[in-house]
Amino acid sequence: MSLVMDFAGKAVVVVGGTSGINRGVAEQFAAHGAKVAVASRRQDKVDDTVAALKAAGAAEAMGFTCDVRDIDSVRAGLEQVHQAFGDFDVLVSGAAGNFPALAADMSANAFKSVIDIDLMGTFHVMNAAYPLLKRPGASIINISAPQAWIPMQAQSHVCAAKAGVDMITRTLSMEWGEEGVRINSVVPGPIDGTEGMERLAGTEELREMTRKSVPLQRLGQKSDIANICMFLGSDLASYVSGTVIPVDGAWSHAGLGGISDSLAKFARAQK
Ligand code: NAP
Ligand code: COA
């Protein structure tokens, strides 16, 4: 059987799409002929990504700067994209912040900064994009994390925020389902060559420990996440909504190896 993914003429928006996993998602949609827009805080990252999207084969590419903590900046940027591309076929929301810190040592503002980016940011993107979605037919993908249901030391802020993100996914699948809008969370495992890996398992020793703790015995690639997003964005997934899909080589079943203990040790050593 041959399977062709054709996104020609489709409008795809990736918020937080200017580096790492999310940029990989944006580039893969571009390589399959979509019109792709990306957004993040830094203009230089937006410009660099837009150039890469064009080189990858995007029918059209554009970007805007916003801070997902500021709903007005998100709304203004999404409206610009809507004017250029029309209704959104695929919306990926993946902006996030992370640093290892124990709850007792974190300021309230440190905890809040991650809640504001990951959880409030997701709500802002959903709320601002709602009138701009293709209906029926839009597919929304929230990028979550295993911390959403597996407690990890030095990650209380991320655990709380990403659990909330997944509940937004489940709730909106019910609120927006009758309009033909699908919404799912994708949960990446440890993805090689990313900021997230650098922050949580930044040494060669930790990287190898993490690799061995994945039942499939390899770290994930950005393309592993881009592939599931292509599936969710396509008609193949037309009956898939409200789900939380780990793409992690079964890492979450293995309890994420020893990463919780190593993060707690790292955070204690920072004191
Ligand atoms: P990354 O390279 O740091 O990507 C984060 C993106 O979000 C960047 O484009 C960043 O650009 C943007 N961003 C951050 N804060 C923002 C804000 N306040 N407003 C708007 N944009 C903002 O991270 P990554 O490691 O690839 O992670 C991507 C996603 O996958 C995240 O949702 C993360 O939780 C999830 N995840 C990652 C892993 C992993 O192994 N890396 C594992 C599980 C889940 P600017 O700096 O220009 O704003
Ligand atoms: N340990 C403890 N507290 C920390 C910290 C750390 N490693 N890093 C930041 N903080 C605290 C700051 O001290 C500040 O609290 P304070 O005002 O009480 O001092 C609070 O967090 C906000 O930090 P600030 O640097 O002002 O926030 P920012 O909005 O500029 O950046 C972050 C947000 C901190 C999440 C930053 O790391 C970021 O932009 N990350 C995006 C990229 C990323 O994390 N990628 C991985 C995705 S998995």
Side-chain angles (χ1 to χ4, degrees), residues 145-153 155 159 248 251-256 260:
Q147 289 93 321
W149 73 97
I150 300 181
M152 197 189 280
Q153 295 173 86
Q155 291 281 277
C159 291
D248 67 353
W251 195 45
S252 47
H253 290 314
L256 313 185
S260 175

Side-chain angles (χ1 to χ4, degrees), residues 41 67 69 96-101 105-111 113-114 117 195-197 199:
R41 292 167 299 178
D67 189 318
R69 291 169 282 195
N98 194 350
F99 49 82
D105 303 331
M106 227 189 290
S107 71
N109 194 47
F111 189 88
S113 68
V114 170
I117 300 169
E195 187 61 30
M197 268 297 281
R199 289 182 183 217

Side-chain angles (χ1 to χ4, degrees), residues 16-22 40-42 45 66-69 94-96 117 143-146 162 188-191 194-197:
T18 62
S19 62
I21 293 173
N22 307 326
S40 79
R41 292 167 299 178
R42 279 176 45 189
K45 288 175 72 175
C66 70
D67 189 318
V68 294
R69 291 169 282 195
I117 300 169
I143 305 297
S144 182
K162 293 290 194 179
I191 305 300
T194 61
E195 187 61 30
M197 268 297 281

Side-chain angles (χ1 to χ4, degrees), residues 1 14 18 38 40 58 62 73 147 156 205:
M1 186 179 103
V14 186
T18 62
V38 289
S40 79
M62 65 184 289
S73 71
Q147 289 93 321
S156 60
E205 188 191 347

Side-chain angles (χ1 to χ4, degrees), residues 2-60:
S2 68
L3 187 59
V4 179
M5 286 282 182
D6 182 7
F7 286 89
K10 302 283 186 188
V12 176
V13 184
V14 186
V15 180
T18 62
S19 62
I21 293 173
N22 307 326
R23 175 164 164 163
V25 173
E27 288 182 359
Q28 189 145 321
F29 277 107
H32 289 79
K35 300 179 281 192
V36 185
V38 289
S40 79
R41 292 167 299 178
R42 279 176 45 189
Q43 187 68 52
D44 59 326
K45 288 175 72 175
V46 170
D47 293 344
D48 185 67
T49 307
V50 169
L53 294 173
K54 287 179 180 158
E60 291 177 55

